[in-house]
Amino acid sequence: MLLLIALIAAVVGGVYAWQSQPKPEPLPPPAPLSGSPLSTPVSASRPQPTPAVELTVHVTGKVRRPGVVTLPGGSRVTDAVQAAGGVRKGAALGPLNLARKIIDGEQIVVGSPGPGVVAAPAPVDPATAVIDLNTATPEQLEQLPGVGEVLARRIVEYRDKNGGFRNVEQLREVSGIGDRKYAEMREKVRV
């Protein structure tokens, strides 16, 4: 009797295990390469991707038509450079990553020297210095009253994330800068 119960339990367990196996599903066909004869759509019944939101970026530096350009979502730095007329003749791109996806509101500088090429910042007298928030290094920002390594890094991160400072009052949006610290700093910075 015990053998019969064990046999039934084994059969039920085997059937359960067999039915709970994942079922294979076919993959969609790969997208044809653009420019190939297969790149034309096979049927119009496929849903066409809707264009993503538009991105607006400021392209400056060694391009033919510097200024603000609007591109479709998902665009890359190379698209922004091309929309600004391309790189000027004889200009080098510098450390610019052309394959990076662009972010709305950012500034793309073409032909700027890379971080390894920038000369060391000249020592600044903290008592008389007025520091540009958009070009200052973290070391220069640390010379401001009440700014240490962590706060200088936050200021640079805010600048990079938001495409630079448009006015000095934006310092209040940086985490760690309250009214008192802002009052101490505002006369020593500019944009």
Side-chain angles (χ1 to χ4, degrees), residues 30-40:
L33 299 172
S34 64
S36 74
L38 299 175
S39 65
T40 54

Side-chain angles (χ1 to χ4, degrees), residues 146-167:
V147 177
E149 180 181 338
V150 173
L151 189 53
R153 188 176 44 226
R154 286 183 191 157
I155 293 170
V156 171
E157 287 171 357
Y158 179 91
R159 175 178 71 196
D160 293 344
K161 180 180 176 187
N162 295 290
F165 287 90
R166 289 178 286 290
N167 56 55

Side-chain angles (χ1 to χ4, degrees), residues 98-172:
L98 294 174
R100 182 179 58 80
K101 286 189 176 183
I102 60 173
I103 302 168
D104 187 48
E106 79 172 293
Q107 182 180 48
I108 299 170
V109 181
V110 178
S112 70
V117 181
V118 176
V124 178
D125 180 11
T128 60
V130 177
I131 297 174
D132 188 325
L133 290 172
N134 289 322
T135 61
T137 64
E139 292 79 19
Q140 290 171 325
L141 291 169
E142 287 178 35
Q143 296 175 5
L144 293 169
V147 177
E149 180 181 338
V150 173
L151 189 53
R153 188 176 44 226
R154 286 183 191 157
I155 293 170
V156 171
E157 287 171 357
Y158 179 91
R159 175 178 71 196
D160 293 344
K161 180 180 176 187
N162 295 290
F165 287 90
R166 289 178 286 290
N167 56 55
V168 173
E169 289 79 29
Q170 283 183 294
L171 270 176
R172 292 180 180 207

Side-chain angles (χ1 to χ4, degrees), residues 5 39 48-49 67 72 95 97 101 123 127 132 138 160 178 184 189:
I5 292 174
S39 65
Q48 297 297 320
N97 179 359
K101 286 189 176 183
D132 188 325
D160 293 344
E184 293 173 353
V189 294

Side-chain angles (χ1 to χ4, degrees), residues 9 11 17 22 32 42 67 71 95 108 131 143 175:
V11 169
V42 175
L71 300 162
I108 299 170
I131 297 174
Q143 296 175 5
S175 174

